[in-house]
Amino acid sequence: MKLQDHELLKEQCRIGDSWCGTPSLEVTNPATGSVIAKVPYLGAAETKQAIEAAEAALPAWRGMLAKDRAAILRRWYELQMSHQEDLAAIMTAEQGKPLSEARGEVAYAASFTELFAEEAKRVYGEIIPTPKAGARVLVERQPIGVVGAITPWNFPLAMITRKVSPALAAGCTVVCKPAEDTPLSALALMELAIRAGVPPGVFNIVTGDPKAIGGELTSNPTVRMITFTGSTEVGKLLMRQSASTVKKMGLELGGNAPLIVFDDADLERAVAGALASKFRNMGQTCVCANRILVQDGIFDRFADRLAEEVEQFKLGDGTEEGVDQGPLINEAGLEKVEAHVADAVDKGAKIKTGGKRATLGGTFFEPTVLTGATTEMLLANEETFGPVAALFRFTEEEEAIRIANDTPYGLAAYFFTRDLARAFRVSEALECGIVGVNEGLTSSEMVPFGGVKESGIGREGSHHGIDEFVEMKYILMGGLES
Ligand SMILES: NC(=O)C1=CN([C@@H]2O[C@H](COP(=O)(O)OP(=O)(O)OC[C@H]3O[C@@H](n4cnc5c(N)ncnc54)[C@H](O)[C@@H]3O)[C@@H](O)[C@H]2O)C=CC1
Ligand SMILES: O=C(O)[C@H](O)CS(=O)(=O)O
């Protein structure tokens, strides 16, 4: 990868005031299979050191004036934006998303740091009318303390800043384990945090053995909160492991988003929304439309238009001009997509376009549209996490809502209609945390992102996002009789 600032390509972890660890874990470019860097493969001992560094840094950081923490976060935001090209180049090289999407993610990630630089100055308390004479009740919101963060590969920057920015803003300190597929983005972000003035030990990054690092983060009593984005399976494991020290949990887990197209929808708007939701990041987001339910009257027109647009996609290396679909993150991800398509076809689905590994080889998969999908198929019950638009036919609104809600997940849902009453009725009936009405993209730093059921606990982003990282304490101050 070509960088203007070569100092951003880091191959060591950050613990306290040191870059440390011997690079050994290979980081590969999913578009070419080439090794682009190595990072340390660390474990429990180094994680313990990082937790101790975070604990040592906590008193001074939480004791700093909120406006001074805010100024440091603001500088971090400005540095992310002024290094947007390099951060995007690193992301495309290790994650595969097209440069245009990577630039977008850099801005998206930086927007969380920008927002929480502002919110750092608004962690307000309150005074409650006293329940007894001669007393006062004061409520303080204090930083929860040392936070463990474990983040995924699909948004290598944004899922870190969406956690670390509010944590630091609240006065917490953090030990972060990025995904083994995409550590370089995290380490570049760390370099910029140092340049912004984040003091040693306030933000630490440990790369390596997920089980060992996660085991230490979830069992060490100094860590008071675990914040995780990733699969529901791992989220449940982290919950179990954290129970022994009763940690607060912030979990952004898997989804199985329905996207419903009603007969009265604006067809072109529904097609655009489905393309945006389904094929963003090659379908590798937890809010991607995973099941597309289309009412009988509009089904054929929608299926034809969607396939027409999907066939316009340019598949290739994300650094190439005009490419809008890159490779999947790894062979395991590709095999999951392949298995979902094969299972669907075995159970009667028809391939309208795509449907197999691309001739480009590697982990490239043809953007795909299937018709005839049914609820018996794997892709109806599991997150495909790939570029496969599975179309399900339905007749009545109640049937669509029942199908949409018939899943252990509840993160995002989308639907397209021009009927205002239906917009409210269906929005309120869907069991999820995020609803897009006539919109396929709903994420931003300004919204309280999160799910219900097995899609997670808590909300990230918006002014609510900082609440995850504070504890409320009330003080009954007596002896004030005049
Ligand atoms: N909700 C979301 O945004 C995401 C959902 N997923 C879902 O998860 C599936 C598998 O993708 P993966 O990347 O394998 O997700 P994953 O949940 O295995 O990995 C996410 C993070 O958890 C870490 N991790 C894995 N096992 C761990 C353990 N035992 N202890 C501590 N940390 C651990 C990984 O190193 C990574 O940093 C995807 O197909 C998708 O369905 C994956 C990534 C993001
Ligand atoms: O994990 C994810 O897929 C992200 O949370 C989706 S988004 O917030 O970037 O839309």
Side-chain angles (χ1 to χ4, degrees), residues 19-148:
W19 290 104
C20 56
T22 305
S24 60
L25 178 67
E26 292 183 348
V27 184
T28 57
N29 180 331
T32 63
S34 61
V35 176
I36 54 177
K38 290 182 183 179
V39 296
Y41 194 74
L42 304 183
E46 296 87 356
T47 304
K48 191 168 186 297
Q49 289 166 12
I51 293 167
E52 287 162 357
E55 185 181 29
L58 187 59
W61 181 247
R62 66 182 292 169
M64 189 183 279
L65 289 179
K67 63 186 298 185
D68 294 339
R69 284 200 298 272
I72 291 171
L73 286 170
R74 177 72 197 183
R75 274 201 299 280
W76 192 24
Y77 156 71
E78 289 163 354
L79 285 168
Q80 290 174 53
M81 289 308 294
S82 59
H83 291 80
Q84 186 174 17
E85 279 308 310
D86 279 352
L87 291 173
I90 292 170
M91 187 185 302
T92 296
E94 66 174 354
Q95 199 269 353
K97 67 179 68 175
L99 264 179
S100 56
E101 270 199 58
R103 290 189 189 101
E105 186 187 334
V106 175
Y108 178 47
S111 72
F112 289 105
T113 308
E114 180 188 34
L115 174 73
F116 289 107
E118 298 154 1
E119 291 302 314
K121 295 186 276 189
R122 296 180 182 83
V123 184
Y124 299 137
E126 57 189 280
I127 291 180
I128 294 175
T130 177
K132 62 187 289 188
R136 295 291 185 276
V137 176
L138 296 80
V139 177
E140 279 195 37
R141 292 163 72 220
Q142 295 182 321
I144 199 165
V146 174
V147 173

Side-chain angles (χ1 to χ4, degrees), residues 108 152 154-155 159 162 229 280 284-287 385 443 449:
Y108 178 47
N154 58 341
F155 290 88
M159 294 306 99
R162 193 162 78 178
T229 294
R280 174 177 173 232
Q284 300 170 121
T285 93
C286 60
V287 290
F385 239 60
S443 300
F449 184 103

Side-chain angles (χ1 to χ4, degrees), residues 8 37 86 118 129 191 242 298:
L8 291 182
D86 279 352
E118 298 154 1
E191 169 61 22
S242 300
I298 198 172

Side-chain angles (χ1 to χ4, degrees), residues 150-155 159 162 177-181 208-215 218 228-235 237-238 241 252-255 284-287 329-330 333 336 382-385 411 449 455:
I150 298 174
T151 56
W153 48 264
N154 58 341
F155 290 88
M159 294 306 99
R162 193 162 78 178
K177 188 207 79 67
E180 47 274 36
D181 289 304
D209 180 349
K211 285 186 172 56
I213 297 169
T218 53
F228 169 73
T229 294
S231 63
T232 292
E233 179 194 356
V234 172
L237 172 71
L238 297 175
Q241 292 178 187
E252 299 294 343
L253 305 179
Q284 300 170 121
T285 93
C286 60
V287 290
I329 186 67
N330 55 34
K336 180 179 182 183
E382 293 175 1
E383 215 172 18
T384 299
F385 239 60
L411 189 54
F449 184 103
S455 286

